[in-house]
Every structure is written in structure tokens, then in C-alpha cells.
């Protein structure tokens, strides 16, 4: 069985190298072969120019294809896997078109495993773990009031005046600022058209306590079901969002005000100009460390008083191994591939696993990727 790894961009390499160094049979596909050689040429010579046709021709039954390519290419690769009897893995959110392939993957006994990077990915593992621990605790009561938050972000390890640095084109970050979100706040649906309308402070339980700025992103609601929240639970807050350094909102104030005015093709052109300027002024220098922070919290209250409250806290930064972001995105992908090959994941289209045994196994590996990773019991600290 061969692992077909497609894409060797900035967030792909550590997981790919881990698989090759682990003795797996890996074929590396990339549109630019020279770039792939720079990344893993010291470990393998099986590097090929990517095209969907060439990949499809090379797939054999039982192989695994990994797409670290742009998300709009995942479904076509997954369909090629179905045609050739191969499994599929990606770190991206499950698109409706991918979910629609679930029955076919199940019928053929094949896996499509997605959302197994950092966010989505590690955050899901943390959430599944907290929900299972709460259900098993003596404090569990269907009448408790629950608050869930999950905040993740890449921030500069060495803060700059802009309070943010870019590893790749800023255009994606700028476009995301124009995206609406839906979350649950104080028992009510919160719809936000612009992130800067919902920025709040977040005190993180790090060894040296630190406050951040956070805001909701995407649609948090579907994840209540994904995280197996009971329909009878009294959920007060449920927010998945983005985390930024303190001072980010103030530093980006002029950006927010201008984005608010941009419309149509002229607006898109101006957004591209802004992206080029930000890249020139606020991209990471060669060898400069990045930083990734992730905090996932579940709190249960009764009569207004906490009865159970645990939180996963992760803090990682770039070091001799490379960037924290690349480690935390691609190594979990490599763990998912190994779990697929070991038949530890059932057939069908799935996000990160719920299986406590797999969560423990993966989190044990992830612990080696971060400088700090702990599950904090806030009740014992009271």
C-alpha cells in the first residue's frame, strides 16, 4: 500500500517527512517538482509532477491519497479514490460535496478522513475528550448549564506593532474578515457580519497567564452535534473562534474601517493591494519563530456556580524543527493516515475521531509538538 501525498506547501512538510522517515512507502506529488525536492529530496526520490490524471492512474486498491492542495481540489481526488478503491485524507473542513460521498465510501469499505489538522483537527480531539470526561464525571447532570469555547490562532512569537504576521498571502486573512459567523451567546443565537463587532477578551490558563482578543468565526452550531452534545443539555454558550494578540483590534482599526467600504471588483482590487502591502511590511523574516495558541474549554454550572470546568491549553512556537503551524497541521494528518492504514477508523466520511483510545494516542504525539500542552482542571485551582 502506497501513501500518495499531494502538496508540499508551507504547512505540509513535517508530517510528510515523518511518514517517510517512519519507513512508509510514500509517493510525493507536487505541481512544482523542484519545490518538493527542496522539502523532502534528501529522504526520497519518488517525487512526481501532480495532475489529477497522473494521480488517478497511479492509485491502487488500499492506497491512501492525501490532499494538502487547495480545498477546491479535495472532492475530485476523493472521487478518484472511490474509483480506484483507495482511502482519502485531508486537513480541511468537510464540504457538503464531500459529505455527499459518505454512502459510497461506506459501501466500498473506504475512509475519507478530514478535519485532522490543527483547526480543524486538534481542537476537535480536545472537544471530544472534554465532553467524554464531563459525561463520565460525578458532576454530570442534564440540568446543568453548559458553556463551550474553542479559540485558535497563529500569532507572532515576537509581537510587532501590527500585532500579526503573515506566513503566506494576506489575502485569505483579509477575505475572512468579510465572512459572517453564527454562535450561541447567553442562550441566544449571535450572528455577526464582521468579526470586529464581536471582539472580546480571553484570559488563557498558560504557565504565565496571558490575555488575548477573540472573536467567533464560521458557523459554530453544527459542532454541537459533532461534539455529541445531548439535545436535552442546557447550553448557554457555544463559540468556536479565532484568537489574536492583545492590541490587535486597535492596530487593525484602519483596516476594518476600509474593508467596510469595499465593494465589487474595485473593492477586490483594493483588497489585493492591501494584501501586497501587508506582505511587504508584516511577513515573517527567515528563521523568525511563529506561535500557535489553542484553548478549548467546557464548563458546567448549577444555580450559577461552576460544578465542572476543564480546559485544554496549547502554546507552541517555531524552533529548530521549523514552524509551529506546519508541525501542528501536518503531523496530525500523518497520524490519521497511519490510523487509516491500521484500520482504526471506520469506513465513511469522517472528521477527527471520537474514539478515546485514538484521541489519547494522537494527543500523546501532539504533546511532543508543542512547548506547552495541558488539560487544566479549573475546579482544583479554585
Amino acid at each position: 500500500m502506497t501513501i500518495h501525498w499531494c502538496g508540499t506547501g508551507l504547512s505540509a512538510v513535517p508530517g510528510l517527512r515523518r511518514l517517510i522517515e517512519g519507513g512508509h512507502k510514500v509517493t510525493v506529488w507536487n505541481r512544482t517538482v523542484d519545490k518538493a525536492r527542496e522539502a523532502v529530496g534528501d529522504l526520497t526520490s519518488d517525487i512526481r509532477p501532480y495532475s489529477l490524471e497522473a494521480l488517478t492512474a497511479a492509485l491502487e486498491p488500499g492506497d491512501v491519497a492525501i490532499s494538502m492542495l487547495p480545498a477546491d481540489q479535495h472532492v475530485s481526488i476523493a472521487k478518484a479514490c472511490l474509483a480506484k478503491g483507495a482511502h482519502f485524507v485531508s486537513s480541511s473542513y468537510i464540504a457538503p460535496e464531500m459529505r455527499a460521498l459518505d454512502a459510497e465510501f461506506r459501501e466500498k469499505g473506504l475512509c475519507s478522513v478530514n478535519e485532522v489538522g490543527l483547526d480543524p483537527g486538534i481542537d476537535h480531539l480536545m472537544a471530544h475528550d472534554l465532553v467524554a470526561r464531563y459525561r463520565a464525571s460525578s458532576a454530570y447532570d442534564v440540568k446543568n448549564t453548559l458553556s463551550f469555547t474553542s479559540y485558535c490562532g497563529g500569532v507572532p512569537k515576537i509581537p510587532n506593532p501590527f500585532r500579526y504576521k503573515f506566513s503566506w498571502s494576506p489575502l485569505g486573512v483579509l477575505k475572512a474578515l468579510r465572512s459572517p459567523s453564527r454562535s450561541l451567546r447567553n442562550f441566544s443565537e449571535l450572528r455577526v457580519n464582521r468579526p470586529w463587532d464581536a471582539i472580546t477578551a480571553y484570559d488563557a490558563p498558560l504557565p504565565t497567564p496571558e490575555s488575548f482578543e477573540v472573536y467567533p468565526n464560521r458557523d459554530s452550531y453544527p459542532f454541537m452535534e459533532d461534539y455529541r452534545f445531548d439535545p436535552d443539555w442546557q447550553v448557554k454558550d457555544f463559540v468556536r473562534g479565532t484568537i489574536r494578540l492583545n492590541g490587535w483590534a486597535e492596530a487593525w482599526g484602519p483596516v476594518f474601517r476600509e474593508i467596510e467600504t469595499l465593494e465589487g471588483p474595485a473593492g477586490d482590487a483594493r483588497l489585493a493591494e492591501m494584501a501586497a502591502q501587508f506582505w511587504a511590511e508584516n511577513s515573517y523574516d527567515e528563521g523568525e519563530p511563529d506561535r500557535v495558541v489553542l484553548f478549548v474549554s467546557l464548563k458546567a454550572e448549577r444555580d450559577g456556580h461552576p460544578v465542572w470546568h476543564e480546559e485544554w491549553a496549547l502554546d507552541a512556537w517555531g524552533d529548530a524543527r521549523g514552524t509551529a503551524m506546519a508541525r501542528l497541521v501536518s503531523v496530525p494528518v500523518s497520524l490519521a493516515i497511519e490510523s487509516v492504514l491500521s484500520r482504526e477508523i471506520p469506513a465513511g466520511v469522517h472528521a477527527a475521531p471520537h474514539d478515546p483510545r485514538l484521541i489519547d494516542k494522537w494527543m500523546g504525539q501532539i504533546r511532543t509538538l508543542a512547548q506547552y500542552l495541558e488539560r487544566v482542571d479549573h475546579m482544583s485551582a479554585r
Side-chain angles (χ1 to χ4, degrees):
M1 286 178 275
T2 302
I3 295 168
H4 297 266
W5 187 289
C6 305
T8 59
L10 287 172
S11 291
V13 175
L16 171 57
R17 292 184 66 88
R18 177 182 173 273
L19 290 171
I20 298 171
E21 289 170 343
H24 294 283
K25 184 181 178 186
V26 181
T27 297
V28 180
W29 301 83
N30 202 51
R31 292 197 183 280
T32 310
V33 170
D34 286 346
K35 287 187 177 178
R37 286 201 184 103
E38 287 176 22
V40 294
D42 58 322
L43 297 177
T44 182
S45 58
D46 193 356
I47 300 172
R48 308 181 192 182
Y50 172 78
S51 71
L52 181 60
E53 296 73 21
L55 171 67
T56 304
L59 286 172
E60 299 283 348
D63 286 357
V64 185
I66 298 84
S67 179
M68 299 298 278
L69 300 170
D72 61 3
Q73 300 185 45
H74 295 343
V75 171
S76 57
I77 295 175
K79 288 180 177 178
C81 289
L82 284 169
K84 300 300 289 283
H87 306 283
F88 174 83
V89 175
S90 89
S91 62
S92 300
Y93 281 103
I94 298 173
E97 298 82 1
M98 181 70 74
R99 200 173 294 282
L101 301 177
D102 178 57
E104 193 172 352
F105 269 99
R106 289 178 188 272
E107 287 167 12
K108 296 191 173 184
L110 299 170
C111 302
S112 169
V113 184
N114 307 266
E115 304 185 20
V116 286
L118 166 62
D119 170 12
I122 297 174
D123 59 335
H124 291 345
L125 301 177
M126 292 173 170
H128 297 330
D129 174 71
L130 293 178
V131 171
R133 288 175 60 81
Y134 168 61
R135 281 184 177 274
S137 75
S138 59
Y140 176 78
D141 189 322
V142 73
K143 299 185 184 68
N144 289 341
T145 298
L146 299 181
S147 297
F148 174 88
T149 58
S150 177
Y151 295 113
C152 183
V155 298
K157 174 64 175 166
I158 304 166
N160 61 331
F162 201 49
R163 312 304 285 170
Y164 191 81
K165 285 207 165 186
F166 300 93
S167 300
W168 46 77
S169 171
L171 196 56
V173 174
L174 294 175
K175 286 182 176 178
L177 290 175
R178 305 168 87 179
S179 301
S181 68
R182 183 171 75 126
S183 55
L184 180 66
R185 283 275 178 85
N186 201 25
F187 299 107
S188 299
E189 179 181 301
L190 176 66
R191 287 183 178 267
V192 178
N193 286 326
R194 297 289 186 260
W196 55 87
D197 293 330
I199 296 170
T200 56
Y202 192 81
D203 295 326
L206 293 171
T208 301
E210 188 173 349
S211 180
F212 295 88
E213 294 177 0
V214 297
Y215 58 87
N217 63 28
R218 296 179 170 266
D219 184 357
S220 295
Y221 269 70
F223 293 92
M224 279 189 264
E225 181 178 351
D226 290 353
Y227 294 164
R228 298 183 177 175
F229 273 49
D230 193 297
D232 294 330
W233 286 357
Q234 312 300 307
V235 184
K236 177 183 178 183
D237 301 302
F238 192 97
V239 185
R240 297 179 72 252
T242 299
I243 193 163
R244 295 287 183 247
L245 291 179
N246 262 350
W248 175 79
E250 182 179 359
W252 281 58
V255 180
F256 300 154
R257 288 190 289 274
E258 181 165 4
I259 286 177
E260 197 75 80
T261 67
L262 300 181
E263 293 180 356
D268 291 340
R270 174 56 186 148
L271 211 61
E273 283 179 14
M274 294 167 71
Q277 177 190 343
F278 294 159
W279 178 254
E281 297 173 353
N282 296 288
S283 58
Y284 280 99
D285 293 330
E286 185 72 31
E288 181 183 353
D290 67 329
R291 183 185 181 197
V292 171
V293 284
L294 168 60
F295 307 103
V296 181
S297 168
L298 179 63
K299 177 170 68 173
E301 295 176 293
R302 190 177 305 146
D303 300 324
H305 301 289
V307 293
W308 192 94
H309 186 191
E310 293 189 0
E311 177 173 7
W312 277 101
L314 179 151
D315 192 0
W317 51 87
D319 55 21
R321 298 172 290 179
T323 70
M325 185 67 74
R327 294 198 303 271
L328 292 165
V329 171
S330 65
V331 172
V333 171
S334 73
L335 297 173
I337 294 162
E338 290 176 332
S339 290
V340 168
L341 292 173
S342 301
R343 302 178 185 273
E344 295 174 316
I345 295 177
V349 176
H350 302 287
H354 291 82
D355 182 343
R357 187 175 52 84
L358 272 186
I359 291 173
D360 287 346
K361 181 178 174 181
W362 289 19
M363 290 301 288
Q365 292 286 326
I366 291 163
R367 188 173 294 277
T368 68
L369 307 176
Q371 280 82 357
Y372 180 78
L373 176 62
E374 294 294 339
R375 186 175 54 215
V376 178
D377 183 349
H378 289 284
M379 299 304 294
S380 66
R382 291 175 69 85

